[in-house]
């Protein structure tokens, strides 16, 4: 039951415009709230991000009233705590403020104040309409879509068709921590979907009749739709090389069963593990298994993540993992997988093109994904990479009432340096934000598309944060901080424009940069080289992308 609680050490709401402050709540052990002053009005919100619990006071408050988490870019309305951007799926709670007798009080329930989260209201208000949204896929984008539909008043039916046999879960925890227990990473439980009148179907969509507006599944069922959202994600790539198809203990990594198989093969640890691929999945897995095993990463680049982060920054990540015992074979090509001498059905080693043989008890492939669109063989044109071309609302080109989000969507990017260039981004945040964009368009087709800056994070010894995108490349790097200690900011520039920012150990520079990018207010390359500090810039209200 809600009741009044006094805020410790506060005699009045004396925050200046643009100020945020964390305040203790008297009478609640570890109870805290965040006060924000936007445009002269002070609000009281939950103090911890609902994504992974980051202290919101260390985040960024913008001129138009957005409060952004310092870690992963989750963004909320400072006035009431509602979600603005992924990856949070719960809002921040907000509390009534009262000034009296020289003190300040909030009104709220103890459990909510301490828990610092508020689940969105997904119950249908009034009679259900005849509209039907069918969502194909059960990942981040799918959940973002249906959640935003319901919280913004959509009263039609929603059917979610997922092929993994489990409810949506935090897929990022698979490669970063090898968690294989669905209950520990599930994003919502069955009751939540029932409360939101969402029908969850465990099946695989095998065909879409775009003219007849229905999808068909492997089990022989069919589902009609008014609007269709395709959110099928990516299919992990194997290697078409000798031994990879025939030998066991060679693993892909995309789903919970993949991780269960990897963990089973590692067993009592002290295994020789070869990881092929030095991009995010490969590096995250290497970091996760390094402590108790002999781990070697094989990459084609000069340094890990070179294609995205550049050689200089990539070597920072390499050194960080080498400190944890990971070995690297870079600028290397794979020739074949060879069987174990003790069991010819299992892998025993990886032969590189230079003749080197790396002993292996198991092999994990981090060799990228392809858009999961092979079931779309009629009625739609796929891009060369198998993705679907969309507009800014993620509506599929050439089709009516069909959207594509996540790994399968190629969309026009309007962030710094983008200039509307078509790009496909395989980030958890992007999929979820795209889903929210689709929901907004379904509810109000006349509304302008809400642009967002892509954000991702990665566990590479320390936490990497990254915002922006480089569909047109980058031509210079401004590196600041102490790179040798894996504490740095990397500004990627095209001409004078900062197109992307990567950081380690220097929060909240990344999220501040993302908000400045959104407003066309990011410093130029020359200004950064002269010493301009991103965190010293007031973030304006006007959005320019």
């Amino acid at each position: 039951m809600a009741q009044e609680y006094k805020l410790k050490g506060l005699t009045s709401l004396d925050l200046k415009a643009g100020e945020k402050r964390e305040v203790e709540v008297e009478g609640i052990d570890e109870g805290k709230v965040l006060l924000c002053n936007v445009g002269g009005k002070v609000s009281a919100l939950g103090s911890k991000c609902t994504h992974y619990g980051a202290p919101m006071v260390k985040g960024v408050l913008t001129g138009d009233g957005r409060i952004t988490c310092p870690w992963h870019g989750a963004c909320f309305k400072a006035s009431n705590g509602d979600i603005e951007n992924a990856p949070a799926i719960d809002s921040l709670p907000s509390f009534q403020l009262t000034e009296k007798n020289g003190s300040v009080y909030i009104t709220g329930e103890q459990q909510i104040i301490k828990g610092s989260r508020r689940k969105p209201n997904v119950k249908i208000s009034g009679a259900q309409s005849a509209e039907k949204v069918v969502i194909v896929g059960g990942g981040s984008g799918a959940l973002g879509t249906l959640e935003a539909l319901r919280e913004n008043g959509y009263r039609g039916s929603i059917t979610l068709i997922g092929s993994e046999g489990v409810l949506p879960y935090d897929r990022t925890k698979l490669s970063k921590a090898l968690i294989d227990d669905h209950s520990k990473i599930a994003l919502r439980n069955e009751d939540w979907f029932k409360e939101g009148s969402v029908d969850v179907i465990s099946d695989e969509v095998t065909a879409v009749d775009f003219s007849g507006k229905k999808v068909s599944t492997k089990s022989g069922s069919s589902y009609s739709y008014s609007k269709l959202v395709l959110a099928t994600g990516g299919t992990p790539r194997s290697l078409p090389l000798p031994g990879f198809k025939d030998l066991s203990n060679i693993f892909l990594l995309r789903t919970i069963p993949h991780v269960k198989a990897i963990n089973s093969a590692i067993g009592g640890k002290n295994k020789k593990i070869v990881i092929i691929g030095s991009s995010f999945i490969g590096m995250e897995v290497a970091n996760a298994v390094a402590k108790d095993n002999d781990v070697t990463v094989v990459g084609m680049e000069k340094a890990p993540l070179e294609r995205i982060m550049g050689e200089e920054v990539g070597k920072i990540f390499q050194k960080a993992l080498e400190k944890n015992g990971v070995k690297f074979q870079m600028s290397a090509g794979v020739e074949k997988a060879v069987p174990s001498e003790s069991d010819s059905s299992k892998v025993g080693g990886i032969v590189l093109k230079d003749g080197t043989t790396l002993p292996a008890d198991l092999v994990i492939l981090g060799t990228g994904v392809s858009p999961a669109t092979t079931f779309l063989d009629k009625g739609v044109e796929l891009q060369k990479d198998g993705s679907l071309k969309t507009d800014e609302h993620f509506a599929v080109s050439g089709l009516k009432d069909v959207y594509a989000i996540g790994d399968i969507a190629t969309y026009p990017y309007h962030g710094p340096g983008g200039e509307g260039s078509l790009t496909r981004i395989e980030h958890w945040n992007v999929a979820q934000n795209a889903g929210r964009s689709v929901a907004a368009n379904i509810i109000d087709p006349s509304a302008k598309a809400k642009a967002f800056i892509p954000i991702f994070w990665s566990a590479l010894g320390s936490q990497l944060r990254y915002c922006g995108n480089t569909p047109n490349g980058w031509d210079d790097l401004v590196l600041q901080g102490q790179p040798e200690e894996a504490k740095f900011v990397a500004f990627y520039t095209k001409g004078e424009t900062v197109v992307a920012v990567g950081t380690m150990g220097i929060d909240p520079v990344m999220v501040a940069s993302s908000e400045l990018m959104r407003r066309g207010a990011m410093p130029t390359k020359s200004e950064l080289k002269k010493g301009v500090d991103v965190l010293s810039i007031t973030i304006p209200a006007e959005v320019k992308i």
Side-chain angles (χ1 to χ4, degrees):
M1 185 174 176
Q3 65 182 80
E4 245 182 18
Y5 293 93
K6 187 177 179 181
L7 298 184
K8 187 176 181 179
L10 208 61
T11 57
S12 65
L13 293 173
D14 58 352
L15 282 76
K16 298 174 185 174
E19 183 184 352
K20 59 186 183 305
R21 189 186 304 173
E22 186 179 81
V23 184
E24 291 183 33
V25 180
E26 291 188 3
I28 299 178
D29 186 35
E30 297 183 4
K32 297 177 182 178
V33 293
L34 180 74
L35 303 181
C36 298
N37 185 333
V38 178
K41 185 169 183 178
V42 180
S43 59
L45 305 172
S47 65
K48 294 179 291 186
C49 181
T50 62
H51 181 226
Y52 286 168
M56 294 300 295
V57 71
K58 294 185 178 179
V60 174
L61 181 62
T62 69
D64 61 341
R66 288 159 52 103
I67 178 74
T68 302
C69 163
W71 293 354
H72 306 120
C75 185
F76 309 88
K77 288 181 182 177
S79 59
N80 60 13
D82 286 355
I83 294 171
E84 282 276 294
N85 278 93
I89 59 172
D90 288 334
S91 301
L92 292 172
S94 61
F95 309 101
Q96 180 184 330
L97 281 164
T98 308
E99 291 182 87
K100 59 182 180 182
N101 303 323
S103 298
V104 179
Y105 297 81
I106 62 165
T107 301
E109 296 179 30
Q110 179 172 327
Q111 186 178 354
I112 294 175
I113 294 169
K114 196 167 181 177
S116 188
R117 69 173 58 240
R118 168 172 56 90
K119 288 187 177 181
N121 180 16
V122 293
K123 286 184 178 179
I124 294 176
S125 176
Q128 190 169 28
S129 74
E131 293 287 304
K132 298 178 180 179
V133 169
V134 171
I135 303 170
V136 182
S140 168
L143 188 64
T145 305
L146 67 88
E147 195 161 288
L149 282 170
R150 284 289 186 249
E151 68 187 42
N152 288 292
Y154 178 76
R155 293 189 293 112
S157 71
I158 300 176
T159 301
L160 179 75
I161 307 174
S163 62
E164 290 191 56
V166 291
L167 295 174
Y169 59 90
D170 188 347
R171 196 181 303 278
T172 67
K173 295 287 185 69
L174 300 186
S175 57
K176 291 176 174 64
L178 291 183
I179 297 175
D180 62 12
D181 182 345
H182 176 262
S183 68
K184 293 181 179 178
I185 54 177
L187 295 171
R188 297 293 190 206
N189 61 26
E190 192 174 342
D191 289 342
W192 185 88
F193 288 95
K194 287 180 179 177
E195 183 184 355
S197 301
V198 177
D199 294 322
V200 181
I201 308 297
S202 182
D203 206 343
E204 181 182 346
V205 171
T206 53
V208 180
D209 178 357
F210 294 109
S211 58
K213 287 195 164 186
K214 67 177 182 179
V215 300
S216 302
T217 67
K218 192 173 184 179
S219 70
S221 300
S222 66
Y223 301 87
S224 60
Y225 64 83
S226 305
K227 308 283 185 184
L228 176 65
V229 184
L230 300 171
T232 44
T235 301
R237 296 191 188 106
S238 186
L239 290 177
L241 298 172
F244 281 87
K245 187 177 180 181
D246 308 319
L247 297 172
S248 64
N249 276 14
I250 298 178
F251 301 102
L252 301 171
L253 203 170
R254 179 74 182 183
T255 66
I256 289 174
H258 289 153
V259 178
K260 283 183 182 291
I262 290 169
N263 285 335
S264 177
I266 292 173
K269 303 177 181 178
N270 297 316
K271 294 294 193 298
K272 291 182 172 64
I273 303 174
V274 174
I275 297 168
I276 300 176
S278 57
S279 195
F280 292 103
I281 297 298
M283 291 289 283
E284 288 175 356
V285 174
N287 184 61
V289 301
K291 184 178 179 182
D292 300 297
N293 299 286
D294 182 346
V295 180
T296 302
V297 173
V298 178
M300 297 175 65
E301 306 166 295
K302 293 177 185 175
L305 303 161
E306 180 185 356
R307 185 177 64 83
I308 296 171
M309 308 295 298
E311 183 180 355
E312 187 176 1
V313 174
K315 286 185 175 176
I316 298 172
F317 306 141
Q318 181 173 337
K319 288 177 182 176
L321 264 64
E322 284 174 339
K323 287 180 181 177
N324 294 337
V326 178
K327 299 186 285 291
F328 286 86
Q329 290 277 346
M330 301 307 297
S331 300
V334 175
E335 185 73 27
K336 60 184 176 180
V338 294
S340 165
E341 292 181 1
S342 60
D343 184 345
S344 61
S345 69
K346 293 182 178 179
V347 70
I350 294 296
V351 180
L352 305 181
K353 288 188 175 178
D354 67 1
T356 302
T357 298
L358 303 173
D361 296 310
L362 64 147
V363 175
I364 302 171
L365 300 180
T367 44
V369 300
S370 301
T373 55
T374 54
F375 67 100
L376 298 172
D377 55 356
K378 294 177 183 176
V380 64
E381 181 183 352
L382 298 177
Q383 302 296 291
K384 287 182 179 179
D385 63 358
S387 65
L388 292 160
K389 180 182 173 183
T390 78
D391 64 11
E392 287 85 353
H393 297 284
F394 296 91
V396 176
S397 300
L399 293 175
K400 183 175 172 54
D401 298 325
V402 180
Y403 300 86
I405 57 177
D407 294 358
I408 67 171
T410 293
Y411 73 100
Y413 177 64
H414 292 286
E419 299 170 354
S421 296
L422 292 173
T423 189
R424 186 174 72 86
I425 303 177
E426 299 168 1
H427 300 341
W428 183 256
N429 273 33
V430 171
Q432 196 173 323
N433 281 330
R436 298 185 71 84
S437 295
V438 167
N441 188 244
I442 289 173
I443 290 166
D444 183 4
S446 65
K448 183 183 175 184
K450 179 182 169 185
F452 58 86
I453 297 295
I455 286 175
F456 72 79
W457 67 95
S458 189
L460 304 172
S462 297
Q463 290 289 317
L464 168 69
R465 329 258 194 227
Y466 182 99
C467 68
N469 191 40
T470 58
N472 297 312
W474 51 276
D475 55 27
D476 201 1
L477 169 68
V478 180
L479 189 60
Q480 300 176 346
Q482 297 86 45
E484 66 282 354
E485 298 175 17
K487 187 177 182 180
F488 66 87
V489 181
F491 297 99
Y492 296 87
T493 61
K494 179 88 170 177
E496 282 291 304
T497 302
V498 176
V499 294
V501 179
T503 74
M504 259 191 172
I506 307 181
D507 294 331
V509 171
M510 182 277 286
V511 293
S513 298
S514 73
E515 291 290 1
L516 290 169
M517 286 178 173
R518 190 168 171 265
R519 291 160 174 78
M522 194 68 187
T524 64
K525 177 176 78 172
S526 296
E527 288 171 334
L528 290 167
K529 286 186 172 181
K530 289 176 182 176
V532 171
D533 182 359
V534 166
L535 297 181
S536 70
I537 301 171
T538 300
I539 298 173
E542 186 183 2
V543 175
K544 292 188 177 179
I545 69 163

